[in-house]
Amino acid sequence: MLGTDQYPPPHPLPDMHGVRRSVNAAQRAGTINPPRVIAMSHGLQGSRSASGPVVGIPTGSSWNQASTSHGLGVGYTTNHAAHASQREYWSKLAYSMGSHAETISLDISAVHDAGAKCKGSRGTPILNIREGKKDIHAQVDAPDLVKIALNMILPKILALSPAFAWHTLEFVVRDAGWVDLSTHPANRPYFYSECWHTSKRGGKEAKVFKSKQFALTVVVPESQWLQYEEWLEQSEEKSHYPATARPLVQDITASPLIEQTHADLPVEESVPVEESVMTWKRVHERSDSVPISAPSSRLSPPHKKLAASSAFCTPSPDHEGLKQALRIGRTVNLDVKQLHLIVLDLQHENIQYYPIPTRPLSAMLKNAKFLSYDIETIKCSMGQLTFNPSTASMLGAGAFKTAHPGWLTLFSPPSSGLGSQTRHDVAVKWAYYKANPPGTSKASVKCKIGCYALADEVPKLLKEGNVLYWARSLLQLTYDFIDRSIISASELPPFKIPQVHFVDAGLAFAFGPLPAPKASSSMTSSAHAVYLVEELIPGGNEDFLKYVHNMDSNPLLDESDDGYDLALFFTFTQHIQYVKTRGLAFISDYQGSSELLTDPQILTHPTVSQGNDIFGDGNIEGAVSEFEKQHNCNFYCEWSGFSLHPFKKEQDGSSGGDDIEQ
């Protein structure tokens, strides 16, 4: 053993105050060249190391075992034991989204661009690829939304065919208005402004944040999707017809059925397998058989055994199950009411179809033939119209028209628009009048629906087509004004512009064989009915709303109703149309879904009609005269980029009309 005099002499403890001062200076970057921190020990037995503190990092178990800071090492206390749990707690708290946070949710889907084939289409869904994500900060900008959408949808698209070379950089992320998010600048909240709503509390208006769900769509370009479909077809062909015919030749020794057959034969009589390559035609003709050949007649017994074994290996159906199926299937369970709706009540018509075109207002004013919907200036198409005229299947009834479901098939279909698809779903409308039974008043609830004679029905539906013709032109004038204003403005508007359009439509004249005069035994063909055929609005009555009435120039909906913002946009379009036509006309009776509109009404100033009936009974001329007093500008009208000024209203409520000169 070593004597006590052989132990190294004790060294004094370092100056802790100086060490702490130098470390703090280094952390604050207080010096250009901070001193290097060196771990020092008190000196171990049998070694000569520099003097200094004992540097020891306690383990997780030593926190509870040590009662003093000496057992934990210099500089550590029992409070350090909570460091890991506290760090995890604050980390979760920092990244969690509490109930008080302003968040939104996303509904993300995938489509491929349909191209010019489907005009107005928002793409074709790719299978059932759809994902949702919630608790997203409301002030997220467009680039981050693109990342979120691609991260959610790309794995689903790539999983369709991992072997296909997808060009994901060409994918486009669009919002519900079909706006490309890549065109929107970064560091600007994209959906944030749409989450703020005006709320009335205690008689005061205040802006309130409401979380909403927004739709995003990942769009695969048309060219890339066509490449994918072509690649998919080639892959399927290769899977049915490999490059060589040799793999199609089956090895009969690998078949359990053949092994059972060969087990019954002596070993010396084993049948050799032909390994020659068969021709494509031969393989196709004998795809259900096993190619076997042998130089001798010993092939016959195996074939007989193979046939016998195959018969016994074919499973028989369950006896009781088959008995029950035969018992149920012996008769047809016929629902007569359902059969009437599907087949018996259907009406088929051979028609001449005259589509309602969309023409710019400038082109209409240059050509007198284009001032109205005139079937003499439109090329007609021959086709068939099928619909259900029964009351039970009625889609709805207006003031003088009923709407019924049906489909349209044109023999020479156009490239786009109504009739471009076989069995194109449509709404078939025709005029009607209420026929009161004798002895009842006109106000009676009980009444019958009567049909007009063809000579009376044609002018009514032609007038309806003309209203839709002018409404399309005025709406196009409105969007042209909006687009030019946004392009010339110094900054983008703080809101999105809704994208809506009126339904594709046209008049269909039905022709059928009629008895010829008595002097002739042949049959003649003549028009016997006329229908207004419109693009079917999806969603049914649940999604159908009336936004603006033709008696008022303000939204028909309440502020808390769904679709109120869209109703504000429609009153804004009336402001534009009133200004651009210098107070002569605008569209009213906005109704339909959030994208497709139908049954509009054109309102004109009393000086336009000069006492004549134009644009039908719904043309309330007084609404145009009172527009400046009735219209209330909203946030669309007030955006500086549009340069639409409020109408100057006098103290008696009348308007000065200065805004018409814009």
Side-chain angles (χ1 to χ4, degrees):
M1 293 180 61
L2 295 175
T4 57
D5 57 344
Q6 295 180 351
Y7 283 100
H11 297 279
L13 293 174
D15 182 7
M16 298 303 296
H17 181 70
V19 172
R20 185 162 54 250
R21 185 172 60 252
S22 63
V23 170
N24 290 340
Q27 292 177 347
R28 294 195 304 267
T31 59
I32 298 177
N33 297 313
R36 184 166 61 95
V37 179
I38 301 175
M40 296 176 292
S41 66
H42 288 287
L44 301 176
Q45 294 182 1
S47 64
R48 292 275 185 174
S49 60
S51 62
V54 177
V55 179
I57 300 177
T59 62
S61 60
S62 63
W63 291 112
N64 298 326
Q65 296 174 358
S67 58
T68 63
S69 61
H70 177 71
L72 301 176
V74 178
Y76 290 100
T77 67
T78 53
N79 293 332
H80 289 81
H83 172 70
S85 61
Q86 286 292 313
R87 182 179 61 180
E88 182 179 359
Y89 168 75
W90 288 108
S91 176
K92 290 182 178 179
L93 187 63
Y95 289 98
S96 66
M97 305 299 294
S99 59
H100 60 277
E102 296 177 348
T103 61
I104 60 173
S105 58
L106 295 177
D107 179 14
I108 311 171
S109 58
V111 303
H112 64 84
D113 196 352
K117 297 180 182 179
C118 299
K119 185 178 180 182
S121 173
R122 294 295 175 87
T124 304
I126 302 176
L127 298 181
N128 58 344
I129 297 180
R130 194 165 190 170
E131 295 292 336
K133 190 173 180 63
K134 63 179 183 178
D135 293 339
I136 300 172
H137 202 285
Q139 298 194 32
V140 62
D141 61 359
D144 286 341
L145 287 172
V146 171
K147 292 179 182 178
I148 293 173
L150 293 179
N151 288 338
M152 298 288 290
I153 296 299
L154 275 185
K156 303 286 185 180
I157 297 179
L158 298 180
L160 293 177
S161 296
F164 180 71
W166 295 97
H167 301 288
T168 56
L169 295 179
E170 298 178 359
F171 292 1
V172 179
V173 178
R174 298 182 180 275
D175 62 10
W178 212 242
V179 177
D180 185 356
L181 267 65
S182 63
T183 61
H184 198 274
N187 300 323
R188 285 189 185 179
Y190 196 78
F191 291 123
Y192 190 61
S193 60
E194 300 183 34
C195 297
W196 288 93
H197 303 271
T198 303
S199 176
K200 293 183 179 180
R201 294 181 180 177
K204 296 182 179 180
E205 293 187 356
K207 290 290 185 178
V208 178
F209 180 88
K210 292 184 180 179
S211 181
K212 296 177 62 177
Q213 184 185 65
F214 298 94
L216 293 179
T217 305
V218 178
V219 184
V220 179
E222 178 190 15
S223 59
Q224 189 171 163
W225 186 257
L226 293 177
Q227 294 175 3
Y228 168 69
E229 289 182 334
E230 182 179 356
W231 175 86
L232 200 61
E233 292 178 359
Q234 294 176 356
S235 300
E236 291 177 354
E237 291 177 358
K238 291 180 180 178
S239 64
H240 288 87
Y241 302 100
T244 60
R246 187 183 179 98
L248 291 178
V249 180
Q250 302 178 11
D251 183 2
I252 62 171
T253 61
S255 172
L257 182 61
I258 303 300
E259 289 179 359
Q260 181 181 356
T261 305
H262 280 253
D264 298 334
L265 296 176
V267 176
E268 63 272 14
E269 294 183 2
S270 60
V271 182
V273 180
E274 181 184 17
E275 296 184 355
S276 60
V277 179
M278 301 175 62
T279 63
W280 283 105
K281 181 178 180 181
R282 189 64 173 169
V283 172
H284 178 71
E285 291 176 351
R286 300 187 59 189
S287 59
D288 297 332
S289 63
V290 180
I292 305 174
S293 64
S296 65
S297 61
R298 286 179 293 180
L299 275 174
S300 181
H303 277 288
K304 292 180 180 180
K305 290 187 178 182
L306 179 61
S309 301
S310 300
F312 285 107
C313 290
T314 302
S316 298
D318 178 68
H319 181 71
E320 292 298 326
L322 179 60
K323 183 189 295 185
Q324 185 70 13
L326 291 171
R327 186 179 296 115
I328 296 175
R330 64 186 175 87
T331 58
V332 177
N333 186 14
L334 182 62
D335 186 347
V336 178
K337 292 183 178 180
Q338 188 67 17
L339 188 63
H340 270 279
L341 293 176
I342 298 176
V343 178
L344 299 182
D345 286 342
L346 293 183
Q347 183 171 332
H348 305 274
E349 301 279 13
N350 294 322
I351 62 166
Q352 286 183 350
Y353 177 70
Y354 295 86
I356 300 175
T358 301
R359 293 191 177 105
L361 186 59
S362 58
M364 293 169 58
L365 297 178
K366 292 179 181 178
N367 192 335
K369 294 182 179 180
F370 294 161
L371 292 179
S372 62
Y373 171 57
D374 187 357
I375 61 175
E376 294 183 0
T377 64
I378 300 171
K379 181 181 178 181
C380 73
S381 299
M382 304 298 293
Q384 286 185 338
L385 181 64
T386 303
F387 61 96
N388 192 329
S390 65
T391 306
S393 66
M394 188 183 300
L395 296 175
F400 68 96
K401 295 192 306 294
T402 60
H404 301 262
W407 62 82
L408 173 68
T409 300
L410 298 180
F411 300 148
S412 298
S415 59
S416 61
L418 199 60
S420 59
Q421 306 174 15
T422 303
R423 290 175 58 97
H424 206 147
D425 291 334
V426 294
V428 182
K429 300 181 178 181
W430 68 76
Y432 78 94
Y433 64 90
K434 294 181 180 180
N436 296 90
T440 60
S441 63
K442 294 184 178 180
S444 176
V445 177
K446 296 182 179 180
C447 64
K448 294 183 179 180
I449 293 179
C451 296
Y452 288 98
L454 182 62
D456 298 326
E457 189 175 22
V458 170
K460 292 182 178 296
L461 292 186
L462 275 174
K463 190 172 292 185
E464 284 291 300
N466 191 48
V467 171
L468 188 57
Y469 174 69
W470 270 87
R472 284 184 169 189
S473 179
L474 287 176
L475 187 62
Q476 186 181 45
L477 173 71
T478 304
Y479 275 109
D480 289 343
F481 171 82
I482 293 173
D483 293 340
R484 288 195 300 269
S485 299
I486 293 177
I487 291 173
S488 60
S490 58
E491 59 180 4
L492 295 175
F495 45 77
K496 291 193 303 183
I497 301 298
Q499 300 296 318
V500 297
H501 62 277
F502 286 103
V503 292
D504 286 333
L507 286 188
F509 289 86
F511 290 81
L514 296 176
K518 295 182 179 180
S520 174
S521 60
S522 61
M523 302 290 288
T524 61
S525 180
S526 176
H528 62 85
V530 61
Y531 307 101
L532 177 62
V533 182
E534 293 185 356
E535 180 181 2
L536 186 64
I537 298 178
N541 293 332
E542 296 180 358
D543 296 335
F544 193 95
L545 292 174
K546 189 159 187 174
Y547 299 95
V548 180
H549 196 269
N550 61 345
M551 295 288 292
D552 194 4
S553 299
N554 291 297
L556 186 62
L557 303 176
D558 293 331
E559 188 175 351
S560 58
D561 293 338
D562 291 336
Y564 178 75
D565 287 346
L566 190 55
L568 289 178
F569 174 75
F570 291 142
T571 60
F572 158 67
T573 64
Q574 290 180 328
H575 191 160
I576 295 176
Q577 295 158 14
Y578 183 83
V579 170
K580 300 304 291 183
T581 62
R582 298 184 180 273
L584 293 180
F586 57 80
I587 305 171
S588 188
D589 254 11
Y590 281 105
Q591 55 190 316
S593 67
S594 59
E595 296 181 0
L596 281 175
L597 303 174
T598 184
D599 287 337
Q601 179 60 55
I602 301 298
L603 303 184
T604 61
H605 194 270
T607 58
V608 176
S609 64
Q610 295 180 348
N612 298 318
D613 179 19
I614 61 174
F615 296 115
D617 297 335
N619 182 11
I620 310 299
E621 297 178 336
V624 182
S625 303
E626 300 293 322
F627 179 78
E628 296 182 18
K629 291 191 294 184
Q630 291 183 352
H631 175 74
N632 294 318
C633 288
N634 53 61
F635 62 91
Y636 289 106
C637 308
E638 294 169 352
W639 185 59
S640 59
F642 294 136
S643 300
L644 292 176
H645 306 296
F647 296 107
K648 296 180 180 179
K649 298 180 180 180
E650 306 296 338
Q651 293 182 355
D652 59 353
S654 62
S655 176
D658 294 342
D659 203 21
I660 299 182
E661 300 302 325
Q662 297 181 44

